[in-house]
Amino acid sequence: MNEAKFIWMNGKFKPWHEAQTHVLSHTLHYGNGVIEGTKAYKTAKGYAIFRLEDHTRRLLESAKMVLVNVPYSVDTLNEAQKELVRKNEFTGDNVYIRPFAFLGYGVMGVYHKEAPVETVLAAWEWGAYLGEEGLQKGIRLKIASMNRPSNTSNMGKAKAVANYLNSQMAKYEAIECGYDEALLLDDQGYVTEASGACFFMIRNGVIVTPPADNTLESITQKTVIEIARNMGYTVERRRITRDEVYVAEEAFLTGTAAEITPVREVDARIIGGGSRGPITQILQSTYFDIVFGRNAKYEHYLTYVS
Ligand code: PPE
């Protein structure tokens, strides 16, 4: 991985290699922790963090859902993230920020109330999530053999690390089978999300994306819906079945890391022309203009670090 200089841990900046935890940390054994994924882009006015407030709020909401008591306010964490980007003196086009909270050392056994909560903000330069070529030409998606867990036994709206076991199994399977990413269905067969991104498709000129019934309330998905509607496209949030995906005119994934990544194939069905579709391309370039500070209309989503 691309190392950086400093990591913020429990209120203090530590050199990258000194931000450590004990092997008997609770989360390593029982998997309860929460993460965020936030991104800063190098604009003409220096780095700007995209939708910082929304990401930090979601971190604290995820933590509340899974009973992890983070002792910092949104404002404190926002300021610390700005300082983190400044202090690391990054030079790249964009910087990925990973705020997280986990249960540290001192208690064993499932009951976690007394386990200490460790709060961390890390940042590093991370290249295109699904490859540069994926952004240009599109990726190949496989529908996973496992479902996304239902609301009766899981909290999909929490960006909980435990939810990524399901994601990991699906992603590994997809790559073993020669695909780039996995798409997960729910227990009724409706599309939920990819292992680390949201799904959109275009059918009959309409942009369609599923509701967050049992999935993360994605910030990029909301952004893309807003952009598309402002551009005059019809956007529907409704359930999608597998067969519809196979005959979509275009498809793409969205996420903080995935940005807008076109999908060119799903389970051996070529989507549209087998490359980045025209609507996908327009949305993608608009999204990049926004995050890089080249679109005044969406300036309110940017937090400049200096
Ligand atoms: N669903 C899942 C399961 C998910 O992990 C992400 C983001 C999204 C949807 C999109 O959410 P948002 O970023 O708010 O639009 N995945 C993060 C982590 C990816 C990783 O591999 O790590 C991310 O994009 O930062």
Side-chain angles (χ1 to χ4, degrees), residues 7-254:
I7 289 176
W8 184 97
M9 194 168 178
N10 302 319
K12 292 194 184 71
F13 286 98
K14 292 187 173 188
W16 181 271
H17 286 283
E18 288 171 27
Q20 293 185 349
T21 190
H22 197 277
V23 291
L24 294 181
S25 292
H26 202 277
T27 300
L28 283 176
H29 298 260
Y30 309 108
N32 188 9
V34 292
I35 62 171
E36 254 317 309
T38 310
K39 216 157 170 178
Y41 290 86
K42 199 199 240 168
T43 71
K45 291 188 271 170
Y47 285 106
I49 305 175
F50 187 63
R51 300 192 76 161
L52 172 62
E53 178 83 11
D54 296 306
H55 281 282
T56 307
R57 279 190 188 285
R58 191 174 63 183
L59 177 77
L60 296 185
E61 285 183 0
S62 296
K64 186 173 182 181
M65 289 170 187
V66 301
L67 295 161
V68 168
N69 195 10
V70 175
Y72 297 100
S73 67
V74 169
D75 286 349
T76 301
L77 294 171
N78 285 347
E79 283 309 311
Q81 286 172 86
K82 287 159 70 178
E83 179 66 17
L84 180 73
V85 175
R86 285 196 294 266
K87 233 178 137 59
N88 274 296
E89 299 177 317
F90 292 110
T91 55
D93 250 15
N94 61 67
V95 173
Y96 188 79
I97 305 170
R98 169 55 54 81
F100 61 107
F102 67 98
L103 301 170
Y105 172 78
V107 179
M108 273 292 153
V110 171
Y111 184 55
H112 72 281
K113 191 169 186 176
E114 301 305 324
V117 174
E118 310 273 356
T119 310
V120 186
L121 306 168
W124 64 91
E125 291 177 23
W126 196 0
Y129 187 61
L130 292 158
E132 261 321 312
E133 197 183 308
L135 277 179
Q136 307 293 326
K137 297 188 175 153
I139 57 141
R140 298 175 60 243
L141 202 54
K142 180 187 189 295
I143 296 184
S145 62
M146 267 197 222
N147 294 330
R148 205 71 175 145
S150 76
N151 290 318
T152 52
S153 50
N154 201 55
M155 292 187 284
K157 289 181 181 59
K159 203 164 169 69
V161 297
N163 292 346
Y164 287 89
L165 174 60
N166 177 258
S167 286
Q168 264 185 32
M169 295 302 106
K171 178 93 184 186
Y172 202 103
E173 174 185 75
I175 291 179
E176 282 301 300
C177 294
Y179 290 82
D180 303 301
E181 174 58 312
L183 183 63
L184 291 124
L185 307 180
D186 67 14
D187 57 354
Q188 311 274 303
Y190 294 101
V191 171
T192 60
E193 58 192 339
S195 77
C198 291
F199 179 81
F200 282 75
M201 67 170 190
I202 293 154
R203 276 201 82 194
N204 306 314
V206 174
I207 300 173
V208 190
T209 190
D213 284 341
N214 58 338
T215 60
L216 197 65
E217 291 173 316
S218 155
I219 293 163
T220 319
Q221 185 184 38
K222 273 187 219 142
T223 307
V224 172
I225 292 171
E226 184 186 341
I227 300 171
R229 289 194 173 137
N230 286 344
M231 291 172 86
Y233 292 106
T234 304
V235 183
E236 284 177 5
R237 276 199 94 163
R238 64 162 175 83
R239 296 198 292 189
I240 297 171
T241 53
R242 168 200 292 263
D243 39 14
E244 280 189 285
V245 173
Y246 292 156
V247 296
E249 294 135 34
E250 295 184 35
F252 57 90
L253 302 181
T254 66

Side-chain angles (χ1 to χ4, degrees), residues 269-285:
R269 280 80 167 182
I270 302 298
I271 304 301
S275 62
R276 175 171 60 190
I279 297 174
T280 306
Q281 182 163 1
I282 290 169
L283 291 173
Q284 196 189 44
S285 67

